[in-house]
Amino acid sequence: DAGVIQSPRHEVTEMGQEVTLRCKPISGHNSLFWYRQTMMRGLELLIYFNNNVPIDDSGMPEDRFSAKMPNASFSTLKIQPSEPRDSAVYFCASSRDSRAGELFFGEGSRLTVL
Amino acid sequence: AQSVTQLGSHVSVSEGALVLLRCNYSSSVPPYLFWYVQYPNQGLQLLLKYTSAATLVKGINGFEAEFKKSETSFHLTKPSAHMSDAAEYFCAVSDLLAGNMLTFGGGTRLMVKP
């Protein structure tokens, strides 16, 4: 079975540009998470969707960040405009409600903002 | 509110030696506890979980963890370290109310010396 698929794996962009990260969760999973990982702050939950509905977005840093889940098989995380401090690895993870806490992570999208 | 503290951001052991990674949690309700492992340039993978059944939980790759309510601890152990165990390990907590939403610790990087 395919795991969680994220794209792009690497993105280098200039400050002020728009960045869109994409995620395809595992089929049948109804929860989706976006995390950010940095050396300084560790692993941070940005937003959590359940059945395509945003449940908790309290971790989204500011209005420059937005996330959507238009259907059960696709989600995006957008940063506009990007800033150097957004440089991080962004992970998408999915799970089933019946297996609470058992998250399956993608390989991550490494973002560098110059 | 839940929280997780991992004592020691870096742990170094010799190959064949005991591995002990420490995790203490705080939760106002009975917790669900997890250990995840992250290999370089990869996403996190579930190693094992505790959900109020047996207090000694066995996971993949020979790891196990023991839930000790009196000590609010969930330490991860492995009798004999292999070079392939070198990775970063994350402890996480959830509960019946939080469901799928995990709170992660800061991580412990395990180094294995030949």
Side-chain angles (χ1 to χ4, degrees):
Chain A
D1 289 340
V4 175
I5 299 172
Q6 291 186 246
S7 65
R9 290 294 314 278
H10 301 273
E11 173 94 4
V12 180
T13 190
E14 292 188 346
M15 183 173 63
Q17 296 298 304
E18 178 178 295
V19 173
T20 299
L21 308 178
R22 298 172 177 80
C23 175
K24 177 179 171 56
I26 293 173
S27 177
H29 284 191
N30 58 344
S31 289
L32 183 138
F33 306 82
W34 283 100
Y35 284 89
R36 177 171 69 176
Q37 186 176 39
T38 61
M39 290 291 290
M40 292 298 294
R41 301 174 68 91
L43 200 60
E44 303 173 276
L45 176 64
L46 300 177
I47 188 168
Y48 159 45
F49 291 90
N50 186 257
N51 294 322
N52 312 338
V53 175
I55 302 300
D56 189 327
D57 65 354
S58 60
M60 295 286 265
E62 50 200 88
D63 291 346
R64 297 185 299 108
F65 284 69
S66 62
K68 294 182 179 180
M69 192 164 186
N71 57 61
S73 59
F74 184 66
S75 176
T76 59
L77 178 68
K78 186 176 292 188
I79 308 172
Q80 166 63 22
S82 58
E83 296 182 3
R85 61 190 166 123
D86 302 330
S87 297
V89 181
Y90 291 82
F91 288 102
C92 176
S94 70
S95 71
R96 300 177 196 271
D97 281 354
S98 60
R99 306 291 290 180
E102 293 185 26
L103 273 56
F104 290 78
F105 282 76
E107 294 191 318
S109 294
R110 182 176 295 276
L111 173 64
T112 302
V113 183
L114 303 174
Chain B
Q2 301 167 319
S3 66
V4 173
T5 302
Q6 292 185 238
L7 297 176
S9 59
H10 292 79
V11 169
S12 181
V13 300
S14 298
E15 192 172 20
L18 171 72
V19 176
L20 171 61
L21 304 182
R22 299 177 187 275
C23 172
N24 288 88
Y25 70 90
S26 172
S27 177
S28 57
V29 296
Y32 300 154
L33 294 159
F34 306 81
W35 276 98
Y36 281 80
V37 59
Q38 183 180 29
Y39 298 103
N41 299 314
Q42 294 186 25
L44 281 69
Q45 303 172 35
L46 181 65
L47 205 52
L48 53 80
K49 68 174 185 177
Y50 165 78
T51 55
S52 76
T55 57
L56 183 63
V57 181
K58 294 186 185 298
I60 61 173
N61 300 336
F63 283 93
E64 62 182 35
E66 186 172 8
F67 172 68
K68 291 187 176 181
K69 184 178 178 180
S70 60
E71 299 177 7
T72 60
S73 69
F74 190 58
H75 302 331
L76 182 70
T77 60
K78 181 173 180 178
S80 176
H82 295 160
M83 296 296 291
S84 60
D85 294 327
E88 188 150 18
Y89 293 79
F90 293 89
C91 184
V93 64
S94 179
D95 60 42
L96 195 62
L97 300 177
N100 264 323
M101 289 186 60
L102 299 178
T103 299
F104 283 94
T108 297
R109 184 167 298 278
L110 175 66
M111 294 167 283
V112 182
K113 298 175 291 186

